[in-house]
């Protein structure tokens, strides 16, 4: 069993920054995806990284503002969010999947991730 835990959400002014943390990926489930969801909408993939030395990717919707990275020693994946906008307000989740979840056409799809953290709220408002 893989236990994913996310932390770091909160309220921030437009233009501000937040860093979310996600712990729990394993050797068998090294692909970590970041997703966000607002009420009544589907969960959108926004970033993905293959832990233990792989590359991180951000979706076009957040590219240039959101960066995914890992601290291997802490088994932690981070989502650094900058220049936050009100439309970034959502519940944010991280999830772990097998290495196959990290390939090009899967990395932003929730279908390929198996273990989910509980979610953390990010609110961007003046």
């Amino acid at each position: 069993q893989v236990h994913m835990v996310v932390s770091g959400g909160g309220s921030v002014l437009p233009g501000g920054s937040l860093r979310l943390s996600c712990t729990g990926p394993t050797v068998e489930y090294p692909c970590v995806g970041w997703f966000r969801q607002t009420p009544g909408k589907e969960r959108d993939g926004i970033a993905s990284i293959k832990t233990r030395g792989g590359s991180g990717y951000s979706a076009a919707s957040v590219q240039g503002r959101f960066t995914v990275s890992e601290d291997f020693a802490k088994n932690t994946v981070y989502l650094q969010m900058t220049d936050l906008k009100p439309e970034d307000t959502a519940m944010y989740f991280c999830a772990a999947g097998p290495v196959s979840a990290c390939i090009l056409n899967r990395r932003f799809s929730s279908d390929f991730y198996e273990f989910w953290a509980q979610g953390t709220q990010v609110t961007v408002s003046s």
Side-chain angles (χ1 to χ4, degrees):
Q1 189 73 7
V2 178
H3 183 54
M4 303 295 288
V5 179
V6 65
S7 61
S11 296
V12 64
L13 295 173
S17 299
L18 276 176
R19 189 179 75 167
L20 306 183
S21 301
C22 174
T23 60
T26 66
V27 172
E28 292 79 17
Y29 295 92
C31 185
V32 174
W34 285 98
F35 298 82
R36 63 186 182 184
Q37 188 173 26
T38 54
K41 295 190 176 181
E42 293 187 357
R43 196 167 291 187
D44 288 334
I46 56 174
S48 174
I49 188 168
K50 180 184 172 301
T51 57
R52 294 164 172 78
S55 298
Y57 300 91
S58 300
S61 58
V62 299
Q63 208 162 56
R65 300 190 299 121
F66 291 13
T67 303
V68 59
S69 63
E70 71 164 329
D71 184 328
F72 177 74
K74 296 181 178 180
N75 196 33
T76 299
V77 171
Y78 301 104
L79 182 69
Q80 180 67 50
M81 305 184 292
T82 63
D83 190 24
L84 283 160
K85 307 176 186 300
E87 52 264 40
D88 294 318
T89 295
M91 186 70 74
Y92 283 70
F93 302 86
C94 67
V99 66
S100 59
C102 273
I103 65 176
L104 177 61
N105 295 327
R106 295 182 176 183
R107 61 174 65 117
F108 300 133
S109 172
S110 60
D111 292 345
F112 299 100
Y113 293 82
E114 299 184 29
F115 301 97
W116 290 81
Q118 78 283 6
T120 188
Q121 178 68 35
V122 172
T123 301
V124 185
S125 174
S126 56

